[in-house]
Amino acid sequence: MEAGTIKISIKTPARLHLGLIDMNGDLDRLFGGLGVGIDHPNVIVEAQTATGLKITGEQTDLAQEITDRFFTKYPLQPKVHLNIAKTIPCHTGLGSGTQLAIAIAVALAKISDIKAPIPELATAVGRAKRTSVGTSIFEYGGFVVDGGKNPKTQVAPPLIYHKPFPEEWCFIVAFPNQSKGLSSSEENHAFDKLTSMPAHDVGQICRLIMLKLLPAIAEHDIENFGTALTKIQILTGNHFAQAQGGTYAKSASTKCIEFMKQTGAYGVGQSSWGPALYAIVKQQQANSFLTKVQKHLKDNAGGDAFIAKANNQGATINVEA
C-alpha cells in the first residue's frame, strides 16, 4: 500500500423493526421505534484514498446519490474509490437503505478526516428522518429503543434504551413470495395518508414496552418478551392497515404469521413494510422451526426463510493506514 493511502472496510448488521411507539404526536414527539440488529444479511463497503471519485460494485447509482449528499453537507473535493462489495436486498424490511447510507458516510468521513458522530452522518445522508433504530443498530447493535422525532428539529431521534439481545434466542426470518415493501417515496406517501393513532393505543404500546417487553429482555424471559412484541405488532399493524390493507402487508404474510404462531413461536411480527416476517424462538428450536416454515412457504405462496442471531456489536469498521 502506498504511503498516505487509507483503506477502510465496513460490514454492517441488518435490522428487524419491531414496532413504532407513537403515531399520535400530542406530546410533541412522533414515532419512536423498537428494533434489533441481526447477524445477516450484511452491507460491505470498501473505500480507499484515490485521486478522484470512483464508485464500483453493487447499487452504484444509489451509492452515487448518497455520496453526493455527503459532499453537499461536507463540501470537500472527493478523493476516494468506493466499492460496494455487498448489499442487503432492498425494500425487504431489513434496513438496507440505512445500513448502506451510513456505511458509505462513515467510510467517506474517515477517508476525508471528518470527525462527526454517526447520528450526524446519518442525517447528512438523509437517514433517521423518522426513527434512529437503524442508525443505533449500525453503531451499537443489540436491542434499541429511540425517543421519537421532534418535528421542530432535524436532529436524529435520541437513543433512550440499548441492551444486548439474549444470545440464546433466535429469529426465523421469512419472506413469502410477494411484492417487496415500499420504496422511500412510497413510504412518504403512505405516512401522509395515515390518520392520528388514538392516544389509548399509544398508551397501550408504552405500557407493554415499559412493564412487559423491557423487563422481559432484562430477565431473558422469552415468553413475556414474545407476548409483548406480538401485541405491539398488532397495535402498530392495525394502525397501518389504512396504508397497507391489513394488520400485515399481504394475505400471504397474514397466513405465514398465523402458521408461525401456531407452530410455537414465542413472538411474531412484520419488519417495517415487509415482506420480511419474523418469529422469535429458542436456539434449540431454530432448525426444526425453520424446516416447518420453509415447508409452509413451499406449500403456499412460495418464498424463503433463514435463521438469524442477534448482532450485539454493531458494524465492524477496519482501517488500514
Side-chain angles (χ1 to χ4, degrees):
M1 192 163 61
E2 293 181 11
T5 298
I6 300 172
K7 294 183 75 173
I8 313 285
S9 177
I10 299 174
K11 180 180 179 181
T12 79
R15 72 99 177 92
L16 293 177
H17 209 288
L18 306 185
L20 291 173
I21 300 169
D22 189 346
M23 290 294 295
N24 180 288
D26 62 356
L27 296 180
D28 296 329
R29 298 194 84 86
L30 269 171
F31 310 116
L34 319 170
V36 63
I38 55 174
D39 59 353
H40 70 286
N42 313 103
V43 168
I44 299 176
V45 169
E46 301 161 341
Q48 69 176 59
T49 49
T51 56
L53 176 63
K54 182 180 180 182
I55 300 176
T56 56
E58 300 182 17
Q59 296 190 33
T60 53
D61 289 346
L62 178 55
Q64 181 69 62
E65 290 178 21
I66 295 165
T67 302
D68 289 345
R69 289 192 199 110
F70 180 90
F71 286 112
T72 298
K73 172 68 176 179
Y74 306 103
L76 303 171
Q77 185 66 33
K79 295 182 178 180
V80 58
H81 175 195
L82 199 61
N83 181 50
I84 314 304
K86 190 175 181 182
T87 56
I88 297 169
C90 61
H91 310 313
T92 55
L94 298 180
S96 59
T98 295
Q99 298 307 309
L100 178 61
I102 301 177
I104 289 173
V106 169
L108 294 175
K110 290 189 176 298
I111 289 285
S112 305
D113 197 29
I114 294 169
K115 294 176 174 56
I118 286 174
E120 179 186 308
L121 294 173
T123 56
V125 292
R127 310 312 297 185
K129 289 182 178 178
R130 294 189 180 90
T131 83
S132 62
V133 167
T135 304
S136 298
I137 284 170
F138 178 95
E139 190 166 9
Y140 302 112
F143 174 84
V144 301
V145 182
D146 80 54
K149 184 81 173 180
N150 181 342
K152 298 175 183 177
T153 73
Q154 295 304 311
V155 177
L159 175 65
I160 59 172
Y161 184 88
H162 169 249
K163 198 167 186 68
F165 198 76
E167 294 185 0
E168 68 272 22
W169 303 354
C170 289
F171 289 97
I172 307 300
V173 183
F175 297 89
N177 189 14
Q178 59 193 38
S179 58
K180 289 190 174 184
L182 304 186
S183 67
S184 179
S185 60
E186 290 169 334
E187 180 181 70
N188 290 336
H189 181 64
F191 271 103
D192 288 342
K193 292 196 313 183
L194 292 177
T195 59
S196 177
M197 177 182 273
H200 176 264
D201 289 351
V202 177
Q204 279 191 281
I205 292 171
C206 290
R207 189 168 177 232
L208 284 164
I209 292 168
M210 287 299 299
L211 295 177
K212 202 169 182 75
L213 192 80
L214 299 189
I217 198 170
E219 296 176 349
H220 289 218
D221 177 354
I222 193 171
E223 291 186 5
N224 276 309
F225 181 87
T227 299
L229 174 60
T230 303
K231 289 180 178 178
I232 291 165
Q233 277 283 298
I234 290 169
L235 285 164
T236 305
N238 286 346
H239 181 69
F240 279 88
Q242 54 193 300
Q244 64 183 9
T247 304
Y248 306 104
K250 305 288 181 182
S251 60
S253 297
T254 301
K255 195 169 184 179
C256 187
I257 286 280
E258 288 305 315
F259 175 80
M260 293 192 294
K261 269 194 212 174
Q262 294 165 9
T263 306
Y266 288 94
V268 292
Q270 174 181 292
S271 186
S272 189
W273 298 98
L277 311 173
Y278 51 81
I280 185 167
V281 299
K282 292 179 180 177
Q283 191 166 316
Q284 59 266 34
Q285 294 175 272
N287 288 329
S288 62
F289 200 100
L290 175 64
T291 299
K292 292 172 185 176
V293 171
Q294 288 173 327
K295 184 178 186 304
H296 167 83
L297 293 171
K298 183 179 179 182
D299 292 345
N300 290 275
D304 198 10
F306 62 84
I307 298 169
K309 296 182 180 180
N311 171 310
N312 280 326
Q313 68 277 346
T316 56
I317 303 170
N318 295 313
V319 181
E320 296 178 44

